[in-house]
Amino acid sequence: MPEVLEVEAARAVLSGYALDREITRVHAPDGWFLKRGTTAAALRHALIGNQFTQARRIGKQIVLDTSDPGVRVGVHLGMSGRVLVDGEEAGDPLLHASNRRVTKWHRFGVYFADGGSFMLRDPRRLGAVELDPDESRLGPDVLSLTPGQLDRALGSRSAPVKAVLMDQARIAGLGNLLTDEALWRASIDPARIAATIDADERRRLHRAIRTTVRVLGRRGGSHTGDMPRDVDMACPRDGGALQRRRIAGRTTYSCSVHQI
DNA sequence: GATGACCTGTGA
DNA sequence: TCACAGGTCATC
């Protein structure tokens, strides 16, 4: 499950139920799913006999610390990943991904000495697991984004504001749906060049991002926004036509009237 | 920075 | 059969 809200829900489940339990077995049947040189053997060596001690998150990247100070595990959910602990899954079902319980979609996981388990289920295999992930390549987390951080992220870049907001090295956590919703709430056209967003609009955008993650987080996920992702619907704010474009490589919805 | 690639499932 | 999907990466 992709955007920061779903990843945070997964992190919370790991934090609540997967810590301080001795790991006895590692399930890593898919070598392709392991990234940056990580192997199943290395994971077994690093994890068996240890415990997860903390479940952290930077943007969409989950980092599991372990009882071995030198061992961290990076977990990414990709487009369709979900976390299951003791067979239970967190958060709302994914809209555009299968939520069937299919064991062969378990791309990674561990079994605990008490008989329970943590599994990462990912039908599309676009998620990833790696040892000792590089956390420095991610920008400030969107859930605690300050006005100054947003201002520095936008800078004087000549890219569309949507592309900048989704660049994980600049701000970590915003994905396609949250970005569209925040820009809709801020009345800013996603195609606007970042450098042209003035100070007033930056303040508005910062507020909109904060409101978007708070409200949609409370509602239960990235797809609970107020802007319909449907060109046959009218903008709920002003009745204007919603348009669908491709910006920053992603399907983008916006209101043709009030997003300028 | 836009594009295609990665991979697999779903629904029209 | 096709288009589409909440992400990321390499490559012009």
Side-chain angles (χ1 to χ4, degrees), chain A residues 67-111:
Chain A
S67 44
D68 180 339
V71 173
R72 293 174 299 119
V73 182
V75 174
H76 202 289
L77 303 179
M79 290 278 270
S80 61
R82 302 203 70 187
V83 160
L84 298 88
V85 177
D86 300 335
E88 300 294 319
E89 47 199 293
D92 60 318
L94 291 176
L95 232 50
H96 297 289
S98 175
N99 294 285
R100 288 155 51 211
R101 310 176 87 92
V102 176
T103 308
K104 72 170 182 191
W105 293 339
H106 292 180
R107 311 297 180 187
F108 171 77
V110 302
Y111 293 94

Side-chain angles (χ1 to χ4, degrees), chain A residues 7-51:
Chain A
V7 178
E8 170 56 23
R11 185 210 63 78
V13 166
L14 288 166
S15 180
Y17 302 102
L19 304 185
D20 307 319
R21 301 168 73 177
E22 190 194 343
I23 297 164
T24 53
R25 279 159 59 208
V26 171
H27 179 69
D30 186 354
W32 187 86
F33 201 76
L34 311 177
K35 299 293 153 67
R36 296 166 139 260
T38 299
T39 63
L43 282 166
R44 292 198 172 86
H45 185 255
L47 294 179
I48 290 175
N50 290 323
Q51 316 167 151

Side-chain angles (χ1 to χ4, degrees), chain A residues 57-149:
Chain A
R57 181 192 57 72
I58 308 163
K60 305 170 196 169
Q61 177 73 55
I62 292 174
V63 181
L64 297 169
D65 296 322
T66 75
S67 44
D68 180 339
V71 173
R72 293 174 299 119
V73 182
V75 174
H76 202 289
L77 303 179
M79 290 278 270
S80 61
R82 302 203 70 187
V83 160
L84 298 88
V85 177
D86 300 335
E88 300 294 319
E89 47 199 293
D92 60 318
L94 291 176
L95 232 50
H96 297 289
S98 175
N99 294 285
R100 288 155 51 211
R101 310 176 87 92
V102 176
T103 308
K104 72 170 182 191
W105 293 339
H106 292 180
R107 311 297 180 187
F108 171 77
V110 302
Y111 293 94
F112 300 114
D114 57 29
S117 67
F118 148 48
M119 287 292 151
L120 171 53
R121 182 181 66 210
D122 182 5
R124 282 180 70 182
R125 289 174 77 210
L126 289 173
V129 168
E130 62 181 307
L131 282 168
D132 303 321
D134 176 12
E135 303 178 27
S136 70
R137 60 205 179 100
L138 293 168
D141 188 84
V142 67
L143 293 192
S144 55
L145 188 73
T146 67
Q149 286 172 331

